[in-house]
Amino acid sequence: MQDLIPTYAGLVDRTALAKRVIPPHPVLSLLVVAGFVGFLYAVEAFDVATGGALEDDGVRPRDFGEWDNLLWMPMIHGDWSHLTGNAVPLLLLGFLANSGGLKQFFQVTAVIWLSSALGVWVFGSPGSHIGASGLVFGFLAFLLVRGVFARSWLQLVIAVGVFALYGAALWGVLPGQPGVSWEGHLFGAIGGVLAAWGVSRENRRATTPATFTA
């Protein structure tokens, strides 16, 4: 019978993790995010060296012949300024999105990545859609929404700070500047909301004590 008595140490740990604002392994998390951004610079260097050969390999809406481009879209940029404009917020937002641990970060990133790319493929305007801004908008939306789901005042305070820094970028989810993939922004943000909902749902499931009957 003693084996049937639930222990709550694991539940407490999971609750504390859900409310964190700094990654449990900050140095490792920073290395992972910085490594990804560094990889983007390496890709752009290759693109420049080959005369922009990669820029046609973005997502082409409703083109059934290039499904693999759904994977490459966030890795390709139009020029150095395009990449740098995404790199700075990626470093900050990606680091903060690591607060639930690296495994959760990779899951959140995958949801945002695929949501942005698939949304562009289905609803995007003609052309090659490239850039990591969908990830930026996704991480921003994730950070803004997760504090509400987690009922964490500290996360909400951080979210307000994030919004103060990058809130103006949310206008990018609306049609506006020609040549800018607002669809990628919009569906990246939707992916961030979905990821925050999924993380919250998983945390609630994991922190619900088991009920035993005699």
Side-chain angles (χ1 to χ4, degrees):
M1 292 298 294
Q2 189 174 6
D3 292 339
L4 296 179
I5 299 175
T7 61
Y8 293 90
L11 303 184
V12 173
D13 289 344
R14 188 60 180 259
T15 300
L17 186 63
K19 295 179 181 294
R20 289 183 66 98
V21 295
I22 299 298
H25 304 288
V27 174
L28 179 59
S29 295
L30 181 60
L31 287 174
V32 168
V33 177
F36 176 67
V37 172
F39 175 73
L40 296 183
Y41 274 94
V43 171
E44 181 58 22
F46 176 84
D47 187 47
V48 171
T50 56
L54 300 179
E55 293 173 19
D56 287 333
D57 292 330
V59 171
R60 293 186 173 277
R62 297 166 296 281
D63 185 339
F64 287 91
E66 298 183 358
W67 279 101
D68 59 323
N69 289 5
L70 296 174
L71 300 177
W72 317 137
M73 180 177 125
M75 301 182 189
I76 307 170
H77 291 81
D79 52 36
W80 292 112
S81 62
H82 182 203
L83 172 56
T84 301
N86 286 331
V88 176
L90 265 181
L91 283 170
L92 175 60
L93 302 177
F95 177 75
L96 293 175
N98 262 278
S99 63
L102 280 173
K103 178 181 177 181
Q104 183 185 104
F105 171 73
F106 290 134
Q107 293 170 335
V108 167
T109 301
V111 171
I112 295 170
W113 192 308
L114 292 176
S115 295
S116 178
L118 286 171
V120 165
W121 191 87
V122 175
F123 297 105
S125 55
S128 177
H129 294 247
I130 57 177
S133 53
L135 291 178
V136 172
F137 278 80
F139 288 141
L140 176 57
F142 173 76
L143 293 171
L144 289 171
V145 173
R146 68 165 185 179
V148 176
F149 284 138
R151 298 181 178 88
S152 168
W153 286 105
L154 186 55
Q155 285 186 356
L156 287 172
V157 169
I158 295 297
V160 170
V162 168
F163 184 79
L165 285 173
Y166 297 108
L170 289 176
W171 289 110
V173 303
L174 301 174
Q177 183 179 348
V180 175
S181 179
W182 65 270
E183 302 96 334
H185 299 171
L186 174 61
F187 287 99
I190 290 173
V193 174
L194 288 174
W197 172 79
V199 166
S200 174
R201 183 173 180 270
E202 177 63 20
N203 286 334
R204 287 198 304 270
R205 184 193 66 79
T207 55
T208 300
T211 301
F212 299 98
T213 58

